[in-house]
Amino acid sequence: MLSSDKNIFVSIPAESEEQVLHPGTIVSVEDKIYTAELEEEGLLTKAGQEVLIYYEVERTFMKELAWIQAVIQGDPKPAISFGTSGRPICTDNRACYRVPLAIKNLTANVGLEEGCKLLEVSQAGFAIIASHFLTKGEFIEATLCYGHGEFSGRARVQSVKELGHGRRRYGFYCVDEKMAHGSLPRGLHMISMAVQRDHLRGSRR
């Protein structure tokens, strides 16, 4: 099922409470060892580490246990070589995974700050880079901008990380639950699913 030019996601166990899907593309296969270029730099991977590989087969989302053979500092993109150590398993809860948005150039308005860079989304929440100071547990109004639409609702600050130079990385949990038109839950669901589909089909926005 895995083959050269196949678009995949790599999930690193124990990386966070939510499973994060890091996009990549298989560039070569030799003796059942796959080499995949990754879209992100600085992932905490090392030789011998177990990871999960996600991919799509005939519109079915699959996962497979794998082990990293080597980490390659490629140019321009980093890469890993890996082998699989289990059978592919169908997984139907893909909307719950958190997806990085580094190459999508999407933004969010959070509180009084507009145009914040949107880093990650899942059905449950999102992460941004902002300069305004917010405290953990604080409730704010948020609007995600996607396509020609805006999706607004309430969110709670779940994590805060100082990045330096007055910049902070905030993780938010969506408080609202109703999937109404223009609601934050609807936007989170639409964006996370669309980004996964776009990557697996090899398209770029």
Side-chain angles (χ1 to χ4, degrees):
M1 294 182 182
L2 287 172
S3 60
S4 187
D5 295 326
K6 185 84 170 179
N7 291 317
I8 62 171
F9 290 105
V10 181
S11 177
I12 305 170
E15 183 181 24
S16 67
E17 292 181 0
E18 289 182 284
Q19 284 188 286
V20 184
L21 302 186
H22 303 284
T25 303
I26 295 176
V27 294
S28 67
V29 183
E30 186 174 351
D31 295 330
K32 297 184 179 180
I33 297 296
Y34 305 89
T35 299
E37 283 189 343
L38 304 175
E39 297 292 341
E40 303 167 81
E41 297 181 359
L43 295 182
L44 299 178
T45 55
K46 58 184 179 180
Q49 185 177 19
E50 284 193 336
V51 295
L52 287 169
I53 305 298
Y54 292 82
Y55 53 95
E56 198 170 59
V57 177
E58 296 180 351
R59 297 187 178 183
T60 300
F61 203 46
M62 311 291 291
K63 68 178 178 180
E64 192 167 352
L65 185 64
W67 51 273
I68 295 179
Q69 183 190 60
V71 178
I72 306 161
Q73 300 303 319
D75 185 17
K77 296 179 179 180
I80 58 171
S81 60
F82 66 91
T84 58
S85 52
R87 293 183 177 181
I89 300 173
C90 177
T91 177
D92 58 3
N93 62 339
R94 57 189 292 178
C96 297
Y97 301 130
R98 188 152 50 92
V99 187
L101 300 173
I103 60 174
K104 295 298 179 181
N105 296 318
L106 300 180
T107 61
N109 303 328
V110 176
L112 299 177
E113 189 165 355
E114 298 183 353
C116 300
K117 184 176 180 59
L118 191 58
L119 299 177
E120 297 170 346
V121 295
S122 73
Q123 185 171 328
F126 61 98
I128 63 164
I129 291 179
S131 58
H132 284 190
F133 182 75
L134 300 171
T135 58
K136 190 173 180 179
E138 183 176 348
F139 291 86
I140 53 89
E141 290 290 328
T143 298
L144 305 186
C145 307
Y146 180 69
H148 299 291
E150 294 186 345
F151 303 89
S152 301
R154 295 184 304 152
R156 178 173 57 85
V157 180
Q158 193 170 25
S159 63
V160 182
K161 182 179 180 180
E162 293 286 346
L163 301 178
H165 304 289
R167 299 163 68 246
R168 300 172 183 87
R169 181 192 187 280
Y170 291 105
F172 294 92
Y173 175 79
C174 180
V175 177
D176 297 340
E177 297 181 356
K178 292 184 178 180
M179 297 283 285
H181 178 74
S183 69
L184 185 58
R186 185 176 181 85
L188 290 170
H189 179 81
M190 287 179 59
I191 295 170
S192 60
M193 296 299 287
V195 171
Q196 289 181 46
R197 286 194 301 266
D198 284 355
H199 175 76
L200 292 171
R201 294 173 183 171
S203 61
R204 294 292 183 268
R205 287 187 179 273

